[in-house]
Amino acid sequence: MARLNLAIISLVFLGTVLGSRGQYEYDDDNVVAISENSTLYGLSEDFYRHACPQVYSIVRAGVEAAIKIQQRNAASLLRLFFHDCFVQGCDASLLLDDAPFFIGEKTAAANNQSARGFEFIDVIKASVEEACPLTVSCADILAIVARDAVVLSGGPNWEVALGRRDSLTASRAASDHFIPDPTYDLPQLLSSFQAMGLGAEDLVSLVGAHTMGFSRCTSFEQRIYNQSGTHHPDLNIEPGFLKQLHDRCPPHGDPNTLQPLDWESPASFDNGYYKNLVSQSAVLHSDGTLYSEAIAGFAGIRELVEKFAEDEQAFFASFARSIVRMGNLRPLIGDKGEIGHCDLLNCLLPRSPSSRNLVYYIHGIRVPANSSQRPFPNGYGEVFRNKITESYEYDSRQIGVYQGSYPTVRDGSVVSLRGTISLATSDGVRARFNVRGPYDFSQLTSIMPISGTLGGRSFLGIQNATVLFAYGRNGVVKGQAKICV
Ligand code: HEM
């Protein structure tokens, strides 16, 4: 209760203090400065200093409003940043709804009926758009929101580096692959963080976010009834706490019943989570394993948990450093991606949809003979002709979705394409686009800016003219092209 009061007081206090400051300066002594690394990735705190200086205060107000509706929203909003950054980097791909050419991340195992708070991001984005149209990315909004959710819950502050752009694609499969599962043991957790270039201390400090928010019974049922197929609970749960969990989540009970991740103070960002780990009162197996498995030879991890349980400031400083590092994961910068609409790609924004059925053909991409890259084992050039299977028309903008296959393009190739793409609609409208590489197939998609004419009209003023090629895993290449004109 004392911790709860403290959280409420610090919330009011922080609101007052920060509200009286400039939009840009959080000159707390405790603010963690942006690391050199962020700058290396092309991000900086004053990215919107001229274009949208209000962004910080607009986001802060939006997070405050969300927390006023329900304190848990702070936890849910913080989690969104993690689930975004671990899948193709911090590019707001998490926010994209399914599109004709990809299945998005919202229905991935870790997010389905679990990730929440999207509606607040939409509201914040709308307010930011009103103040500074087409300027601030959704990816940057997620980064500021995460910081504000922590600060407003009594946690540490840090400078948020900005300049990310939004993804043009998303992947449910990648989310399923990269977001760690609550059944993971310590080695699995470590390798999932290592895959992101994050280390053991990043793991231990970032997962301290579980000092806020809730878990559904379904996420830890296995642990309390049938750990590793033994038909027994995990032996590393303190018996009194195990009883609490059994009471909360009886066999065949509602899998969506909620259990606080930090039973004593789920509303405040403090070091209560680590105290729980030390007293073997962790909710998720992936949490408990940081303390229990550490005994079996993972030097340093158990000590770190104990240190954070004793020294809240040490946890705060480490968390702030690690979340800045997480925020640097593969940002899209420069002319990559777009300043998006969060849930919908700009080029899919509907304007009076019509039913005219266009059929496009794409053919004629060639790899130049002098190219050093050989994506096509059969030779440098390959002509293909494939049919776009679905297409849409929104006003004057036409969108074709192409589902073909390029069985010979190797995974991860950088392809130097040069040639033309020709499009023809069923009613005879033809277009030719010039294409020039190199295009990096090591990303899930390769973006090719195209220009040309369609039906005699040039593409002047067209905002999104891109062709995307996605490849699959295991060398199987799935062609996917999107034309937004
Ligand atoms: C280390 C691996 C991690 C695993 C296995 C994991 C797993 C989970 C699970 C299973 C839940 C409950 C979801 C549900 O039942 O609906 C949860 C909740 C949560 N996670 Fe994690 N998580 C991890 C790391 C992180 C990190 C790094 C952060 C943030 C920096 C984070 C933030 C949260 C928050 C705040 C909640 C509560 C959300 C709410 O109440 O809406 N988690 N996590």
Side-chain angles (χ1 to χ4, degrees):
M1 192 60 191
R3 269 157 64 188
L4 195 66
N5 280 339
L6 189 70
I8 293 166
I9 293 163
S10 51
L11 200 153
V12 172
F13 171 78
L14 279 163
T16 322
V17 172
L18 294 174
S20 66
R21 289 208 181 127
Q23 285 152 347
Y24 250 85
E25 287 109 37
Y26 302 132
D27 46 7
D28 250 47
D29 285 344
N30 291 325
V31 173
V32 171
I34 289 174
S35 67
E36 291 283 311
N37 276 347
S38 303
T39 324
L40 283 179
Y41 284 97
L43 306 175
S44 75
E45 201 214 1
D46 55 6
F47 189 80
Y48 299 111
R49 185 181 284 277
H50 301 297
C52 194
Q54 314 92 308
V55 64
Y56 287 103
S57 51
I58 296 173
V59 173
R60 175 62 59 103
V63 178
E64 265 167 356
I67 295 177
K68 221 175 242 169
I69 292 168
Q70 192 189 42
Q71 175 65 44
R72 182 189 174 193
N73 290 331
S76 308
L77 289 169
L78 169 60
R79 187 173 182 229
L80 292 183
F81 190 43
F82 166 51
H83 284 208
D84 180 39
C85 291
F86 264 52
V87 186
Q88 357 175 127
C90 310
D91 60 0
S93 58
L94 170 67
L95 306 180
L96 286 171
D97 289 337
D98 292 354
F101 35 87
F102 60 74
I103 300 174
E105 292 156 30
K106 286 180 177 169
T107 51
N111 298 324
N112 203 10
Q113 298 193 48
S114 180
R116 52 197 294 283
F118 295 105
E119 68 277 24
F120 300 112
I121 302 295
D122 289 342
V123 169
I124 292 170
K125 171 71 173 173
S127 311
V128 172
E129 281 299 300
E130 214 174 294
C132 328
L134 304 173
T135 304
V136 180
S137 67
C138 303
D140 278 345
I141 288 176
L142 281 179
I144 308 173
V145 162
R147 188 272 309 271
D148 288 358
V150 169
V151 168
L152 291 170
S153 307
N157 199 354
W158 61 91
E159 288 178 357
V160 184
L162 302 171
R164 304 168 186 80
R165 290 168 64 86
D166 298 329
S167 177
L168 296 170
T169 183
S171 166
R172 180 170 72 187
S175 180
D176 284 337
H177 184 76
F178 289 113
I179 304 274
D181 193 86
T183 60
Y184 276 10
D185 289 329
L186 187 54
Q188 291 170 298
L189 290 173
L190 284 167
S191 69
S192 124
F193 272 61
Q194 261 157 20
M196 299 293 145
L198 297 171
E201 179 164 349
D202 297 314
L203 165 66
V204 177
S205 63
L206 284 172
V207 80
H210 289 174
T211 183
M212 296 204 293
F214 292 80
S215 170
R216 293 165 301 150
C217 290
T218 188
S219 300
F220 59 89
E221 256 162 358
Q222 195 186 333
R223 175 176 195 229
I224 61 174
Y225 290 111
N226 185 18
Q227 175 67 14
S228 312
T230 57
H231 298 288
H232 292 292
D234 186 336
L235 295 174
N236 296 304
I237 310 177
E238 191 276 321
F241 188 63
L242 179 62
K243 181 168 180 334
Q244 273 185 42
L245 296 180
H246 280 159
D247 290 348
R248 176 83 67 165
C249 306
H252 314 297
D254 180 354
N256 292 320
T257 301
L258 294 175
Q259 161 71 29
L261 282 163
D262 171 4
W263 61 274
E264 208 181 341
S265 57
S268 70
F269 196 99
D270 56 20
N271 65 341
Y273 167 79
Y274 299 100
K275 293 180 180 166
N276 296 337
L277 295 195
V278 172
S279 61
Q280 300 200 304
S281 309
V283 175
L284 305 177
H285 174 71
S286 53
D287 291 332
T289 193
L290 294 179
Y291 194 71
S292 56
E293 256 199 281
I295 302 168
F298 288 93
I301 290 187
R302 182 171 210 190
E303 286 71 16
L304 209 49
V305 170
E306 284 166 343
K307 181 174 160 195
F308 290 163
E310 278 157 26
D311 182 351
E312 188 169 71
Q313 287 310 312
F315 161 49
F316 280 6
S318 178
F319 182 87
R321 274 195 305 271
S322 292
I323 201 162
V324 168
R325 263 202 289 276
M326 186 176 84
N328 290 339
L329 287 174
R330 288 175 59 185
L332 295 172
I333 54 166
D335 59 359
K336 296 206 167 115
E338 66 182 19
I339 300 300
H341 202 74
C342 297
D343 53 354
L344 208 57
L345 291 171
N346 286 340
C347 68
L348 291 183
L349 287 178
R351 305 173 174 181
S352 64
S354 94
S355 59
R356 185 175 155 215
N357 192 19
L358 297 171
V359 180
Y360 293 106
Y361 293 92
I362 300 185
H363 60 88
I365 293 186
R366 286 177 185 279
V367 179
N370 60 358
S371 167
S372 58
Q373 292 104 12
R374 300 184 54 138
F376 305 112
N378 301 338
Y380 287 112
E382 188 162 299
V383 178
F384 50 85
R385 179 184 167 85
N386 278 302
K387 189 175 171 185
I388 291 182
T389 51
E390 278 181 75
S391 57
Y392 305 83
E393 187 189 38
Y394 296 115
D395 276 2
S396 60
R397 299 188 301 174
Q398 288 133 1
I399 297 163
V401 178
Y402 162 76
Q403 303 270 354
S405 63
Y406 302 87
T408 53
V409 177
R410 281 196 224 115
D411 243 10
S413 320
V414 174
V415 182
S416 184
L417 294 173
R418 192 170 300 178
T420 55
I421 296 180
S422 305
L423 301 184
T425 66
S426 56
D427 52 0
V429 179
R430 290 183 180 282
R432 275 169 88 80
F433 307 105
N434 292 322
V435 185
R436 243 160 210 275
Y439 301 109
D440 183 357
F441 279 74
S442 62
Q443 310 268 321
L444 280 175
T445 59
S446 177
I447 317 288
M448 302 183 204
I450 53 177
S451 60
T453 57
L454 183 59
R457 282 172 292 147
S458 74
F459 278 46
L460 210 62
I462 291 156
Q463 285 195 352
N464 282 286
T466 59
V467 181
L468 304 182
F469 284 80
Y471 67 90
R473 302 210 163 263
N474 308 323
V476 179
V477 177
K478 290 190 183 123
Q480 212 175 53
K482 172 173 72 86
I483 319 287
C484 284
V485 295

